[in-house]
Amino acid sequence: MLEIITPRLILRRWQTEDQQTFSQINADPRVMEFLPKPLSFDESNSFIERIETHFEENGFGLWATQLQDSPSLIGFIGLSIPRFQASFTPCVEIGWRLGYDYWGKGYATEGAKAALEFAFTQLNLPEVLSFTVPKNWRSRRVMERIDMKFSQEFDHPDLPEGNPLRKHILYKTTNPHQF
């Protein structure tokens, strides 16, 4: 079982015990502010199932994330292949979602740096992308802290015209180990 250890975090595969906490994170309107809607318990569990399938099919995914000094889930940080089609797909995206109580402590940045290191040294990816809505300044700051650069704006194809979350911004970073 692949784990990534950082100074304060453990990025690991998902466990049954994570379901309740993950459901609470996904039901929090503060956490889901820039996503289409809060998720129900069943929707959160379906998301975990898709994440685990992604791990099995690709050898990487969105790792369940916990603090080193606590077994409790604080959210996820990791890599995924977006399921929609756009001018920049197929690609690998880096993303994170942490419970509100864990915001502003540098955990997303710390875990994302470790996930990028895995992407570049273990998977030998040439680049990694990330995207969000323009108003999501917290995620944009994480992207910038992990040396990602603004690339372009795009309309998210899974969101309908007129949806206030449709407009997205794309950030990229390239593998520093490749010449």
Side-chain angles (χ1 to χ4, degrees):
M1 179 165 138
L2 173 70
E3 288 186 343
I4 296 176
I5 309 293
T6 73
R8 300 181 297 164
L9 304 173
I10 299 172
L11 282 62
R12 58 167 173 76
R13 295 288 292 270
W14 292 80
Q15 303 166 356
T16 304
E17 303 81 50
D18 297 326
Q19 291 177 340
Q20 186 63 44
T21 302
F22 192 53
S23 176
Q24 292 167 350
I25 290 168
N26 288 326
D28 187 334
R30 297 169 296 188
V31 173
M32 302 301 282
E33 177 181 8
F34 300 114
L35 295 165
K37 67 180 181 78
L39 302 180
S40 69
F41 183 79
D42 290 340
E43 289 168 327
S44 286
N45 286 341
S46 292
F47 188 21
I48 291 172
E49 289 173 14
R50 286 193 307 275
I51 292 169
E52 281 298 307
T53 298
H54 189 284
F55 268 109
E56 296 304 320
E57 292 174 353
N58 300 290
F60 63 89
L62 300 170
W63 286 279
T65 303
Q66 69 183 63
L67 300 178
Q68 279 203 29
D69 60 2
S70 170
S72 297
L73 181 80
I74 67 166
F76 69 71
I77 300 170
L79 306 165
S80 65
I81 298 172
R83 298 185 302 168
F84 61 84
Q85 291 186 348
S87 64
F88 51 85
T89 61
C91 66
V92 174
E93 171 198 11
I94 187 168
W96 44 84
R97 183 178 306 162
L98 300 180
Y100 181 77
D101 292 343
Y102 302 98
W103 290 7
K105 297 173 178 21
Y107 297 136
T109 301
E110 181 176 324
K113 284 180 179 180
L116 273 182
E117 183 68 13
F118 177 86
F120 293 145
T121 62
Q122 302 300 309
L123 303 175
N124 202 32
L125 296 175
E127 72 177 2
V128 175
L129 311 180
S130 192
F131 47 85
T132 189
V133 298
K135 289 183 179 180
N136 189 349
W137 288 103
R138 289 182 300 274
S139 278
R140 291 178 69 177
R141 280 194 294 273
V142 172
M143 292 173 199
E144 291 164 3
R145 282 190 214 104
I146 61 173
D147 295 324
M148 299 190 95
K149 305 291 182 226
F150 173 81
S151 175
Q152 69 186 61
E153 290 186 356
F154 71 99
D155 289 332
H156 198 296
D158 288 347
L159 297 170
E161 287 283 343
N163 185 308
L165 300 177
R166 187 160 195 232
K167 179 68 69 192
H168 271 60
I169 52 173
L170 178 72
Y171 280 70
K172 291 183 181 185
T173 190
T174 56
N175 189 334
H177 306 289
Q178 292 183 338
F179 300 104

